[in-house]
Amino acid sequence: MGLEPVDGGKSAWLFLVGAVIIDAIIWGFPLNFGVFQDYYTTHPPFEGNLLISMVGTFATGIAYLGGPLMAPLTIRYHAYRRHMVIFGASLCVLGNIGASFGTQLWIIVVCQGVIYGVGFLIISYATFSMLNEWFIKKRGLAYGILLSAAGTGGLGLPFLLQVLLEKYGYAMTLRIYAVATVIIVGPAILLVRSRTRHLPKPPKAENIDYSVLKKPIFASLSICNFLQGLVFYLPSIFLPSFAADLAFSPTDRSILLVLIHLTEVIGLLSIGHVSDFVDVHLLLLGSSFGSAIVVYVLWGLGKTMLHLCIFALLFGFTAGSFEALFPRFATALTDNPSAKLTFFGFFEFQRGLGMVLAGPISSALIGRVVIEEGYGIERYKGIILFVGSVLVVCSFSGVGWLLRGKTWYR
């Protein structure tokens, strides 16, 4: 049986629909951890615990940190990628159920953070590997659609989680979400199939040339990627508590997260599509420097709901679009399909390392005193200055656009 067409056709788009549903439900959950953090820090038994943010950063960070391990495993066990998706989804469900019984912080960190993160890590690489088979010329657009799924799912998820937490508490909310995951993700997995599933043997992987990792382009993209991962999720994590300190209602706090997700979806779709024909250095420059200005001005000086809404909209678009550049980071280094997934894993690891470090760093930077007239209402000044400054440094990698024709650079 011949292979089905790439970049279109019924099977390719059905695969993408299934992958989007899975990503929206599984990945959308930890991306809205800000709602849980707001609840955990204001309700027993974790009330006032400044280390709560580590749960969210582990859940998101581990999904990236395991890239160098999962990429070769996915390539080697090519025929079992759908099984990987099933296993990873099962871990996510079990992680939430386990956390629902936790009354100590370490249990929440292990279950809702570590186990859940490992589950999504397995899902994501199996899915990315299959997506690379279905989409080649339209890969940037396909990744933009897939990566925007969590943001799309997050448009209503903060409100839902807020209602469930207030009505039933964190234990029952986690169990409800676990059951919903089984009901929604189960059928979606049936749509996620490999394009090469009918081949008697998986395509033999080409040898990977690692010499490109010594080139300045890899160092430049890696530094930018790590720094962006270090700060990207901090606004989503701390914006609800920032708004709470300004006496905004729970609904208003959820609206801010929804606005970030909304424009993140738009950014991922548009920048993902544009990355198919515009140099990646220019796009990361615009994403990083633009989001830095937004953080310095609108978050640092924001005191009203209007200011914070504008911040959420602009930050979601500028910073949220960055991840759609990952496939083009890899294609800027190689044309080898196996190498692309492997290098993609390296970039994911760098980003995940930044995310995990963000937890303890942000815990050290957050203040204890709220002064509404102060920059960042004083309590969040350190975090805001840290996020903005890191993004400015990140934007320096855009200089690579001027060197794109130099053989010593790439």
Side-chain angles (χ1 to χ4, degrees):
M1 183 180 294
L3 293 176
E4 295 168 276
V6 298
D7 293 316
K10 179 181 177 181
S11 295
W13 292 117
L14 282 177
F15 164 83
L16 194 56
V17 168
V20 162
I21 293 172
I22 295 170
D23 198 74
I25 300 301
I26 300 289
W27 192 227
F29 183 74
L31 292 189
N32 284 285
F33 181 73
V35 177
F36 271 90
Q37 173 160 312
D38 189 22
Y39 181 87
Y40 283 147
T41 55
T42 55
H43 293 75
F46 311 111
E47 187 173 3
N49 195 319
L50 296 179
L51 297 179
I52 283 293
S53 62
M54 294 181 65
V55 180
T57 51
F58 270 108
T60 53
I62 288 176
Y64 292 91
L65 279 174
L69 174 65
M70 277 307 303
L73 285 175
T74 304
I75 294 170
R76 181 173 181 178
Y77 299 103
H78 181 275
Y80 299 98
R81 288 175 293 179
R82 180 186 273 185
H83 299 80
M84 293 179 186
V85 174
I86 295 171
F87 179 65
S90 300
L91 283 181
C92 293
V93 170
L94 292 175
N96 275 347
I97 292 174
S100 73
F101 292 98
T103 56
Q104 299 180 51
L105 180 60
W106 72 267
I107 298 176
I108 304 298
V109 171
V110 170
C111 294
Q112 193 176 350
V114 177
I115 294 176
Y116 197 100
V118 170
F120 182 73
L121 166 69
I122 296 170
I123 293 171
S124 62
Y125 275 84
T127 305
F128 291 151
S129 175
M130 289 186 278
L131 184 146
N132 287 345
E133 294 175 351
W134 287 111
F135 296 90
I136 298 176
K137 291 183 179 179
K138 296 181 180 179
R139 186 170 296 167
L141 174 62
Y143 268 90
I145 293 172
L146 177 59
L147 295 174
S148 69
T152 303
L155 294 180
L157 193 54
F159 296 108
L160 175 62
L161 293 176
Q162 183 75 50
V163 170
L164 291 175
L165 285 168
E166 293 298 334
K167 188 172 183 178
Y168 299 111
Y170 75 93
M172 185 57 66
T173 297
L174 289 168
R175 292 166 197 164
I176 290 172
Y177 201 86
V179 173
T181 299
V182 173
I183 294 173
I184 299 173
V185 170
I189 293 176
L190 299 177
L191 301 177
V192 177
R193 303 182 299 169
S194 166
R195 180 171 174 262
T196 58
R197 64 191 181 280
H198 297 303
L199 296 181
K201 292 184 179 180
K204 185 178 180 180
E206 301 177 40
N207 292 327
I208 299 174
D209 179 11
Y210 290 99
S211 63
V212 70
L213 303 185
K214 301 177 183 178
K215 295 278 189 176
I217 184 175
F218 179 72
S220 175
L221 294 177
S222 295
I223 293 171
C224 176
N225 183 39
F226 167 76
L227 293 177
Q228 217 270 356
L230 186 63
V231 299
F232 171 65
Y233 287 105
L234 295 183
S236 295
I237 290 174
F238 287 100
L239 196 56
S241 55
F242 182 95
D245 286 334
L246 289 171
F248 290 3
S249 69
T251 300
D252 287 343
R253 277 130 59 183
S254 295
I255 287 174
L256 294 174
L257 287 181
V258 168
L259 293 179
I260 289 180
H261 292 316
L262 174 63
T263 49
E264 184 179 346
V265 169
I266 298 172
L268 286 167
L269 289 172
S270 57
I271 300 303
H273 177 57
V274 171
S275 71
D276 285 332
F277 49 85
V278 175
D279 188 87
V280 71
H281 293 88
L282 287 177
L283 297 176
L284 71 84
L285 171 62
S287 171
S288 303
F289 191 73
S291 53
I293 298 302
V294 168
V295 167
Y296 278 138
V297 177
L298 291 174
W299 192 15
L301 300 176
K303 302 290 190 299
T304 68
M305 184 62 179
L306 176 61
H307 289 153
L308 295 182
C309 283
I310 296 174
F311 163 73
L313 288 168
L314 294 179
F315 184 82
F317 181 83
T318 54
S321 62
F322 185 89
E323 196 169 358
L325 303 179
F326 278 16
R328 293 312 175 193
F329 280 10
T331 55
L333 300 176
T334 182
D335 293 323
N336 180 341
S338 297
K340 287 176 183 177
L341 186 63
T342 300
F343 293 163
F344 185 92
F346 290 162
F347 288 122
E348 293 272 274
F349 174 83
Q350 296 159 3
R351 187 171 177 83
L353 182 61
M355 290 177 182
V356 170
L357 291 176
I361 291 175
S362 61
S363 296
L365 289 173
I366 191 169
R368 294 182 177 273
V369 178
V370 174
I371 303 176
E372 289 195 18
E373 295 75 17
Y375 184 80
I377 62 173
E378 196 60 34
R379 187 185 185 197
Y380 301 88
K381 179 172 68 175
I383 289 177
I384 292 171
L385 292 176
F386 175 69
V387 172
S389 300
V390 168
L391 288 171
V392 168
V393 175
C394 180
S395 68
F396 292 162
S397 293
V399 175
W401 179 74
L402 301 174
L403 308 173
R404 65 194 185 282
K406 306 295 183 180
T407 55
W408 59 267
Y409 177 70
R410 60 190 305 174

